[in-house]
């Protein structure tokens, strides 16, 4: 059975709530096990979990399955730098809820090594009577991966089935790759993606944030899915109902609506997701399979070439050999340096980059056009299709940028430029010295057509390219609706360039030597950096696979 | 640790910032405190924000703000916050000894957020010292985002059975936002206390539900059943923040939909059931979709979207053909939200005819961020109906802002005001038309 599990779709349950997974975990009849059981619930206490309905769902599941649980010993442990068993497994279940409540009352916002906790717990469970299962409940960790193979071996050897309730990972997430300076617990590597490797090229030029960081993937972290797959357990994703909303722009306001956009193509549907699910085989095996996938090979070649010319700042995590792939660190690298105020030379740099992009478009489209139907995986085909659009979008942004540098940028940066005529008013920055150029995005969420009506730099020059892009986007939307790939496309956008100005910070209170942290000085923040979710509303995350709760 | 000294280049900007004269500043500050005219207040705020970046208005603000209303004080505080660091810092320190408790708390909380922990005692003292519930509630809204354990503990300590319902709601929402589980036993005690009012119990039960407590839904439904006059607005924000409503509360809300409750309560119930995707409510929500009250029909539409995530475009196309303008507008607006502009002609048609739905149609036109709606909105600016002009003015500003993302547009700078004289309006409109004719493609 375990050998047949290949993709995250095979281990991930339907629904996004707490009720169902807890019910499934505790119910012996539905899991087909009627004999004696020993269960451990390992709780990673976080503020997010404290806010969830975990306690009430646990309460209902315990009540609902009271009869089934007569021969089931249940214990509770708290995840942490050191594993703490709060309640040893016992047939008396009355203390479970108070123990869980006590754990939630002391949230921990450090990055935790749950893998080490799982290995520790598996030792404790090893000699326990009956079938053995662990339910790991984690909404904040799981992306700190520590020796996945050893953890898998330990759980399998102890005959433990691991099920997980976890938060959703982001699509080929590059968050930690971009922040390689972040300290992780000892022996851990931070990997936030649902896939064994970052498969989608990340950090395209002129996109405000990598789409990989703000597109919910529909699955949990690769490591957790892998552990569940290897032990015949299940993974359940938890997303609060309030987060299942669409928002066009994650970090800024959408220019094309009031935030009331309805995008039914962003609601994930299981049937559509399954075809595009990531592999949960061992990392080595995933690498071998990717190396044989013609779409991945084409994407990887594009990735290397686009990084070389500065269109992508994130590097590929795999270096391809003839039939194999060699792992290398995926990290941020050089950009074209188009953020200064040397308008004239930057326009020329952009012109050169446009020519390079044209060549890449031509070669990449030719290469994927040669792939026979049926060759390659659906997932890698989707990634290649998305890259094709991103390349063309980058060309459009480069053209607009070059025009901005030739005309509007210098005018806006010139303090002597004439006062505009009403209804135009001077910028609130007028008179201040600009220091550079940065960009916002106008999302592709509403399609390409509305972009044609906007007055943007190089409007006439980009028009034919936008018109070419429109059918590609429509086709992509049709093919990948209700999957993370449609959402990823929506998160990309036409760049809107702005001038940046010098900061306006001042002195901060000085922290005296020997003083306690609580006495003075600004907080240095929590050990786990707060991350804004990708998607919607107040920075919250978007879509969900079904609404069953 | 060495103190952080950041760019003083901001200071360079100081010399260049303002062309405002002292008497202009004094007048603008007076306008900021105008008790009657909110438009004047916000216009003064915008102008000061734009043209007095250096903070020349600070001395006048410090003198004037304490006598202003709380909302004007709030605007004034935002202005001070926007000043360059040395000016802002001096302003904050002086506000700490202001006559106004609200301003003292604004300054203390800002300094606390920036790392000055000595302000904690002052914050709590100011919160305690006010007798005005409105002021306390506004104070609490300034404190959101503070997660310091000592602060949380102190806030928890302020909760009593005598706290008015608005204040109790403010305390508990602040604690919910901070993820404080220590407030759970406090709320439970208040529910059980014999002398707690019904409102207190309702708010506490709603808080427990939002905090994910197992039995809270039933407790809340029991309290709701007891209340003779329904007021969901007191607990609305807790229920929106809750992960799930639970069956007893959901069933209560379902009963609200069948009741003769006022339209506001029905709208809240619709929103809650939609947000929490309560499937059994679908049938009853659909009935409200037919309401001639557009705000109820719209709330029903939102609720359906929340549950089903999409509405059948065919049904919407049928609604477009309806003889009832409210249904046409509802369908056209939703289609527009789904990037389908097939209802635009119908909306423009209704917007062009004086009548019941003209204002609503014009409001809906603002959602279409396309050049085609601009002429219709320009025409509406000429209307004899002042409300229509006001709506069209806002709509046009939004549409033009979208169509010209690189231009800084402020239609009021043309002199047009929806309640201005005919001459002012004509002159202003002429400038807006001229801009449009020059830049439209």
């Amino acid at each position: 059975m375990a050998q047949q599990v290949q993709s995250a779709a095979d281990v991930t349950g339907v629904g996004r709530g707490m009720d169902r997974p807890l019910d499934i975990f505790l119910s012996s009849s539905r899991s087909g096990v009627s004999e004696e059981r020993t269960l451990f619930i390992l709780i990673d206490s976080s503020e997010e979990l404290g806010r969830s309905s975990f306690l009430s769902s646990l309460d209902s599941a315990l009540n609902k399955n009271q009869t089934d649980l007569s021969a089931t010993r249940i214990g509770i442990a708290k995840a942490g730098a050191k594993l703490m068993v709060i309640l040893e497994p016992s047939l008396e279940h009355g203390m479970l809820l108070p123990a869980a409540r006590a754990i939630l009352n002391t949230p921990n916002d450090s990055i935790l090594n749950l893998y080490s906790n799982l290995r520790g717990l598996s030792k404790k469970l090893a000699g326990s009577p009956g079938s053995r299962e662990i339910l790991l409940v984690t909404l904040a960790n799981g992306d700190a991966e520590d020796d996945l193979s050893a953890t898998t071996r330990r759980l399998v050897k102890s005959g433990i089935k691991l099920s997980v309730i976890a938060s959703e990972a982001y699509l080929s997430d590059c968050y930690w790759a971009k922040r390689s300076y972040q300290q992780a617990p000892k022996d851990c590597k931070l990997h936030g993606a649902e896939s064994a490797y970052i498969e989608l090229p990340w950090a395209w030029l002129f996109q405000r944030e990598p789409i990989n960081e703000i597109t919910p993937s529909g699955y949990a972290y690769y490591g957790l899915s892998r552990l569940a797959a290897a032990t015949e357990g299940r993974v359940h994703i938890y997303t609060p109902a309030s987060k299942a909303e669409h928002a066009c722009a994650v970090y800024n306001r959408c220019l094309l609506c009031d935030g009331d956009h309805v995008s039914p193509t962003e609601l994930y549907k299981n049937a559509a997701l399954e075809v595009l699910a990531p592999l949960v085989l061992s990392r080595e095996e995933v690498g071998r399979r990717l190396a044989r996938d013609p779409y991945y090979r084409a994407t990887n070649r594009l990735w290397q070439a686009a990084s070389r010319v500065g269109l992508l700042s994130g590097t590929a995590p795999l270096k391809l050999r003839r039939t194999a792939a060699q792992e290398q660190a995926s990290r941020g690298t050089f950009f074209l340096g188009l953020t200064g105020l040397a308008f004239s030379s930057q326009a020329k740099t952009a012109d050169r980059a446009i020519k390079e992009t044209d060549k890449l478009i031509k070669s990449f489209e030719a290469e994927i056009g040669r792939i026979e139907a049926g060759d390659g995986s659906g997932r890698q085909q989707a990634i290649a299709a998305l890259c094709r659009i991103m390349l063309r979008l980058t060309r459009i942004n480069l053209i607009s940028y070059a025009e901005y540098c030739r005309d509007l940028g210098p005018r806006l940066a010139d303090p002597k430029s004439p006062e505009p005529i009403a209804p135009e008013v001077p910028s609130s920055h007028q008179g201040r010295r600009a220091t550079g150029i940065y960009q916002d995005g106008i999302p592709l969420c509403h399609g390409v057509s509305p972009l044609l009506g906007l007055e943007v730099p190089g409007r006439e020059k980009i028009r034919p390219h936008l018109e070419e892009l429109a059918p590609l986007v429509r086709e992509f939307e049709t093919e990948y609706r209700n999957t993370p790939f449609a959402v990823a496309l929506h998160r990309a956008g036409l760049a809107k360039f702005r001038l940046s100005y010098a900061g306006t910070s001042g002195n901060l209170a000085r922290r005296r030597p020997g003083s306690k942290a609580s006495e003075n000085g600004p907080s240095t923040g929590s050990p786990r950096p707060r991350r804004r979710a990708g998607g919607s509303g107040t920075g919250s995350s978007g879509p969900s696979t079904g609404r069953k709760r | 640790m060495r103190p952080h000294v950041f760019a003083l280049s901001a200071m360079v900007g100081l010399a260049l910032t303002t062309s405002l004269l002292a008497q202009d500043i004094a007048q603008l500050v007076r306008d900021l405190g105008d008790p009657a005219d909110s438009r004047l207040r916000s216009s003064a705020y915008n102008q000061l924000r734009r043209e007095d970046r250096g903070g020349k208005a600070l001395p006048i603000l410090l003198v004037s703000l304490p006598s202003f209303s709380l909302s004007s004080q709030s605007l004034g505080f935002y202005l001070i916050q926007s000043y360059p660091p040395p000016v802002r810092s001096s302003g904050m320190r002086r506000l700490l000894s202001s006559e106004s408790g609200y301003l003292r708390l604004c300054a203390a909380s800002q300094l606390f957020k920036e790392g000055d922990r000595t302000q904690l005692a002052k914050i709590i003292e100011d919160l305690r010292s006010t007798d005005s519930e409105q002021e306390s509630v506004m104070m609490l809204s300034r404190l959101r985002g503070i997660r310091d354990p000592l602060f949380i503990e102190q806030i928890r300590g302020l909760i009593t059975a005598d706290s008015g319902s608005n204040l109790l709601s403010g305390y508990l929402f602040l604690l919910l936002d901070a993820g404080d589980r220590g407030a759970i036993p406090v709320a439970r005690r208040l529910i059980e206390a014999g002398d707690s009012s019904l409102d207190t119990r309702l708010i506490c039960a709603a808080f427990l539900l939002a905090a994910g407590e197992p039995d809270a839904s039933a407790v809340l439904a029991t309290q709701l059943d007891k209340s003779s006059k329904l007021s969901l607005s007191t607990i609305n924000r807790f229920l929106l923040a809750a992960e799930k409503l639970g069956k007893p509360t959901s069933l209560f809300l379902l009963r609200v939909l069948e009741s003769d409750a006022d339209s506001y309560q029905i709208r809240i119930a619709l929103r809650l059931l939609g947000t929490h995707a309560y499937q059994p409510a679908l049938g009853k929500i659909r009935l409200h979709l037919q309401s001639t009250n557009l705000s109820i029909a719209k709330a029903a539409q939102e609720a359906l979207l929340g549950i089903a995530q999409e509405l059948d475009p065919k049904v919407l196309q049928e609604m477009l053909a309806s003889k009832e303008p409210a249904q046409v507008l509802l369908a056209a607006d939703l289609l527009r939200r789904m990037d389908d502009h097939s209802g635009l002609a119908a909306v423009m048609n209704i917007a062009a005819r004086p009548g019941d739905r003209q204002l609503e149609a014009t409001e809906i036109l603002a959602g279409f961020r396309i050049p085609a709606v601009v002429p219709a909105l320009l025409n509406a600016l000429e209307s004899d109906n002042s409300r229509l002009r006001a709506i069209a003015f806002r709509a046009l500003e939004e549409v033009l802002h979208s169509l010209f993302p690189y231009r800084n547009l402020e239609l009021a700078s043309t002199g047009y005001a929806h309640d201005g004289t005919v001459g002012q309006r004509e002159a202003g409109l002429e400038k807006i038309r001229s801009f449009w004719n020059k830049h439209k493609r």
Side-chain angles (χ1 to χ4, degrees):
Chain A
M1 178 71 184
Q3 287 85 343
Q4 289 166 3
V5 173
Q6 301 225 337
S7 88
D10 299 330
V11 286
T12 306
V14 180
R16 296 280 176 140
M18 282 284 178
D19 289 351
R20 197 163 176 270
L22 283 163
D23 186 27
I24 291 174
F25 178 70
L26 292 178
S27 149
S28 61
S29 51
R30 244 182 280 172
S31 59
V33 185
S34 55
E35 78 274 24
E36 199 172 21
R37 295 193 300 158
T38 306
L39 315 180
F40 245 117
I41 302 177
L42 174 59
I43 301 175
D44 169 16
S45 179
S46 59
E47 207 178 292
E48 290 84 350
L49 191 62
R51 286 170 194 276
S52 76
S53 65
F54 174 68
L55 283 182
S56 63
S57 299
L58 180 62
D59 187 38
S60 334
L62 285 167
N63 288 331
K64 191 172 167 189
N65 296 290
Q66 223 166 15
T67 340
D68 276 357
L69 293 172
S70 56
T72 304
R73 288 176 177 77
I74 310 177
I76 283 202
K78 181 184 180 185
K82 277 190 178 171
L83 174 73
M84 280 171 61
V85 173
I86 305 292
L87 209 60
E88 290 290 348
S90 104
L91 292 172
E92 170 52 54
H93 304 146
M95 287 309 289
L96 286 170
L97 208 60
R101 187 191 299 278
I103 292 176
L104 293 193
N105 285 348
T106 52
N108 183 347
D109 61 359
S110 302
I111 300 181
L112 298 179
N113 182 347
L114 298 177
Y115 289 70
S116 138
N117 284 180
L118 283 171
R119 292 195 296 270
L121 205 54
S122 69
K123 269 190 204 164
K124 290 189 185 296
L125 259 180
S128 305
S131 60
R132 297 159 206 137
E133 294 177 44
I134 296 174
L135 174 68
L136 168 64
V137 187
T138 175
L139 303 185
N141 284 292
D143 50 357
E145 218 185 278
D146 163 31
D147 207 339
L148 182 53
S149 314
T151 313
T152 311
R153 275 197 306 275
R154 168 85 70 182
L155 289 167
V156 171
K157 197 175 163 194
S158 308
I160 294 169
K161 182 197 274 191
L162 174 73
S163 290
V164 181
I165 300 176
S167 49
E168 187 172 12
Y170 290 90
L171 182 68
S172 254
D173 188 18
C174 59
Y175 185 80
W176 294 125
K178 201 170 125 191
R179 294 161 179 82
S180 51
Y181 50 81
Q182 175 64 44
Q183 275 198 331
K186 190 168 172 279
D187 301 327
C188 282
K189 187 182 137 198
L190 293 169
H191 180 76
E194 86 289 20
S195 48
Y197 298 100
I198 300 173
E199 296 167 354
L200 179 66
W202 59 275
W204 288 89
L205 181 67
F206 295 139
Q207 297 302 320
R208 182 169 164 169
E209 288 295 323
I211 52 180
N212 314 45
E213 283 183 21
I214 49 179
T215 305
S217 69
Y219 295 102
Y221 302 116
Y222 161 76
L224 297 182
S225 298
R226 166 78 192 134
L227 288 174
T231 61
E232 298 184 47
R234 301 289 289 167
V235 177
H236 304 272
I237 295 185
Y238 168 79
T239 313
S242 57
K243 292 196 171 180
E245 288 171 354
H246 161 76
C248 309
V250 176
Y251 293 98
N252 54 341
R253 234 186 108 206
C254 176
L255 194 68
L256 302 170
C257 72
D258 269 342
D260 61 354
H261 188 206
V262 176
S263 184
T265 61
E266 292 200 0
L267 179 75
Y268 294 179
K269 291 192 173 161
N270 285 330
L273 267 183
E274 278 166 16
V275 190
L276 307 172
L279 296 169
V280 288
L281 300 163
S282 71
R283 213 168 237 124
E284 297 72 29
E285 181 57 25
V286 173
R288 277 193 286 276
R289 294 205 183 187
L290 287 176
R292 291 198 296 266
D293 191 307
Y295 285 107
Y296 182 77
R297 294 189 74 86
T299 302
N300 188 280
R301 262 192 286 274
L302 167 72
W303 195 340
Q304 312 273 3
S307 296
R308 273 195 299 275
V309 295
L311 302 185
L312 273 165
S313 76
T315 59
L318 289 175
K319 197 171 181 182
L320 292 182
R321 305 269 181 248
R322 191 172 292 247
T323 55
Q326 187 192 335
E327 200 172 330
Q328 57 185 15
S330 181
R331 57 189 165 76
T333 178
F334 103 106
F335 251 138
L336 280 171
L338 300 178
T339 54
L341 290 177
F343 290 112
S344 168
S345 72
Q346 284 171 200
K348 284 178 194 153
T349 307
D351 287 340
R352 283 194 296 276
I354 292 166
K355 284 184 189 149
E356 294 289 348
T357 314
D358 281 338
K359 282 187 216 158
L360 288 176
I361 292 172
K362 216 169 165 185
S363 63
F364 182 63
E365 291 186 351
E367 185 169 0
I368 55 175
R370 283 194 296 271
I371 298 170
E372 300 276 334
D375 279 359
S377 71
R379 180 176 172 87
Q380 295 310 321
Q381 191 173 356
I383 288 173
L386 184 56
C387 286
R388 185 184 179 201
I389 291 176
M390 291 306 295
L391 254 182
R392 286 173 172 264
L393 184 62
T394 304
R395 173 168 62 182
I396 290 167
N397 283 333
L398 275 163
I399 296 170
S400 185
Y401 175 85
E403 292 305 309
Y404 178 84
C405 286
R406 290 199 173 92
D407 178 28
L408 188 59
R411 271 195 286 131
L412 291 174
D414 180 3
K416 290 177 197 151
S417 58
E419 288 249 328
I421 301 165
E424 279 194 84
V425 293
S427 144
S428 59
H429 299 294
Q430 202 177 40
R432 289 177 71 189
R433 189 170 54 83
T435 54
I437 302 174
Y438 74 103
Q439 79 282 328
D440 277 342
I442 306 169
L444 281 184
C445 185
H446 294 269
V448 175
S449 315
L451 304 179
L452 292 165
L454 309 183
E455 188 195 57
V456 293
R459 181 182 188 171
E460 295 311 322
K461 286 190 178 171
I462 65 172
R463 172 173 279 275
H465 298 288
L466 282 172
E467 283 167 351
E468 269 176 31
L469 186 66
L472 290 182
V473 167
R474 274 198 299 274
E475 205 177 288
F476 187 91
E477 286 265 14
T478 311
E479 185 69 31
Y480 299 110
R481 59 181 291 138
N482 307 116
T483 76
F485 293 95
V487 178
L489 173 74
H490 295 166
R491 299 288 176 269
L494 183 67
K496 180 188 166 192
F497 302 101
R498 291 171 182 274
L499 292 178
S500 55
Y501 296 87
T504 55
S505 304
N507 295 348
L508 294 177
R510 181 176 183 180
R511 191 170 166 185
R512 304 285 166 192
S515 62
K516 288 180 197 161
S518 60
E519 283 171 5
N520 55 23
S523 157
T524 50
S526 63
R528 172 174 277 275
R530 292 238 160 243
R531 177 175 177 180
R532 285 190 64 176
S536 330
T538 52
S540 58
S541 164
S544 63
T545 43
R547 303 278 300 190
K548 284 181 190 167
R549 290 192 167 271
Chain B
M1 188 188 288
R2 193 177 164 199
H4 295 83
V5 182
F6 288 112
L8 285 177
S9 50
M11 298 292 289
V12 176
L14 280 181
L16 304 168
T17 45
T18 176
S19 57
L20 280 179
L21 298 172
Q23 61 263 41
D24 295 334
I25 288 177
Q27 183 56 48
L28 285 170
V29 172
R30 272 197 297 279
D31 291 348
L32 189 76
D34 190 288
D37 191 343
S38 65
R39 204 170 56 83
L40 190 62
R41 288 198 297 269
S42 77
S43 152
Y45 171 80
N46 286 333
Q47 201 177 341
L48 283 167
R49 183 83 196 247
R50 198 172 54 240
E51 296 176 28
D52 179 34
R53 285 199 317 273
K56 279 188 174 176
L58 181 66
I60 310 179
L61 281 173
L62 290 171
V63 173
S64 313
L65 284 180
S67 62
F68 288 175
S69 70
L70 287 175
S71 60
S72 290
Q73 286 186 19
S74 190
L75 288 177
F77 183 74
Y78 284 126
L79 281 175
I80 296 173
Q81 261 190 312
S82 73
Y83 293 154
V87 185
R88 180 180 64 198
S89 176
S90 135
M92 293 286 170
R93 295 281 164 195
R94 290 182 58 189
L95 284 180
L96 287 176
S97 53
S98 168
E99 295 156 41
S100 155
Y102 175 68
L103 288 172
R104 286 199 305 272
L105 179 128
C106 285
S109 63
Q110 188 55 39
L111 291 168
F112 184 75
K113 285 175 187 171
E114 288 171 9
D116 181 355
R117 299 184 55 81
T118 60
Q119 300 301 328
L120 180 58
K122 292 196 185 86
I123 294 173
I124 301 298
E125 190 187 318
D126 287 328
L127 262 178
R128 280 183 199 279
S129 67
T130 176
D131 294 329
S132 152
E133 194 177 51
Q134 189 207 357
E135 187 176 29
S136 301
V137 170
M138 280 193 71
M139 283 175 164
L140 288 175
S141 70
R142 296 285 325 174
L143 300 175
R144 280 189 71 177
I146 300 180
R147 283 160 182 254
D148 180 274
L150 198 55
F151 166 79
I152 296 298
E153 202 182 309
Q154 301 253 20
I155 293 290
R156 218 188 290 141
L158 294 175
I159 300 175
T160 65
D162 302 330
S163 307
S165 56
N166 286 334
L167 198 52
L168 176 68
S169 170
Y171 287 143
L172 287 177
F173 201 73
L174 190 71
L175 295 172
L176 180 74
D177 189 53
D180 176 40
R181 298 190 58 81
I184 292 172
V186 177
R188 281 199 186 279
R189 271 198 299 277
L190 283 178
I191 292 176
E192 284 153 18
D195 55 348
S196 292
S197 69
L198 187 60
D199 267 358
T200 297
R201 290 201 186 107
L202 271 177
I203 291 164
C204 289
F207 166 78
L208 292 178
L209 186 65
E213 283 296 283
D215 53 347
S217 182
V219 175
L220 178 61
T222 310
Q223 302 298 335
L224 283 166
D225 278 331
K226 283 183 192 165
S227 76
S228 54
K229 188 172 179 295
L230 182 67
S231 178
L232 290 174
S233 52
T234 50
I235 53 170
N236 185 24
R237 57 178 170 168
F238 291 99
L239 302 195
L240 284 172
E243 190 207 309
K244 57 180 186 179
L245 292 175
K247 202 170 173 187
T249 302
S250 302
L251 288 175
F252 178 88
L253 294 172
L254 208 50
R255 289 199 295 278
V256 172
L257 296 191
E258 296 163 324
S259 72
D260 56 356
D262 65 53
S263 80
Y264 185 49
Q265 303 300 326
I266 288 183
R267 272 170 18 223
I268 295 178
L270 284 167
R271 182 169 179 207
L272 288 169
L273 290 165
T275 302
H276 290 281
Y278 189 62
Q279 293 277 348
L282 271 175
K284 296 211 167 66
I285 293 172
R286 282 204 184 99
L287 292 177
H288 284 285
L289 199 58
Q290 311 298 324
S291 171
T292 50
N293 179 334
L294 198 59
S295 62
I296 290 185
K298 233 174 143 49
Q301 194 181 61
E302 286 302 318
L304 286 178
L305 277 173
I307 296 172
Q309 293 288 311
E310 53 188 312
L311 289 180
D312 187 353
K314 277 185 201 157
V315 174
L316 294 173
Q317 291 295 343
E318 282 167 22
M319 282 168 74
L320 269 187
S322 164
K323 285 188 177 149
E324 173 52 59
Q327 292 289 301
V328 176
L329 292 177
L330 199 63
D333 194 34
L334 185 54
L335 283 166
R336 187 271 306 164
R337 290 171 59 193
M338 294 160 75
D339 300 315
D340 177 344
H341 289 184
S342 56
L344 176 62
V347 180
M348 295 214 340
N349 199 14
I350 297 170
R353 285 196 316 255
D356 290 350
R357 302 293 178 190
Q358 189 180 27
L359 300 181
E360 286 151 353
T362 308
E363 216 157 16
I364 286 172
L365 281 182
F368 292 88
R369 305 296 168 87
I370 50 173
V373 301
V374 175
L377 294 173
L378 285 169
N379 290 341
L381 289 183
E382 288 179 310
S383 164
D384 294 335
N385 181 339
S386 154
R387 279 188 65 204
L388 178 63
R389 292 197 300 269
I391 290 171
F393 186 77
R394 275 199 305 274
L396 187 61
E397 202 151 49
E398 284 177 32
V399 173
L400 292 180
H401 172 74
S402 292
L403 296 179
F404 298 96
Y406 284 83
R407 293 182 190 272
N408 210 14
L409 297 174
E410 235 180 70
L411 299 191
S413 68
T414 60
Y416 185 97
H418 70 92
D419 52 359
T421 64
V422 176
Q424 284 170 336
R425 295 205 310 266
E426 279 176 359
L429 185 55
E430 179 57 37
K431 288 181 190 166
I432 300 171
R433 279 194 194 281
S434 154
F435 168 83
W436 174 244
N437 290 333
K438 187 173 170 192
H439 297 291
K440 71 178 179 188
R441 296 281 169 98

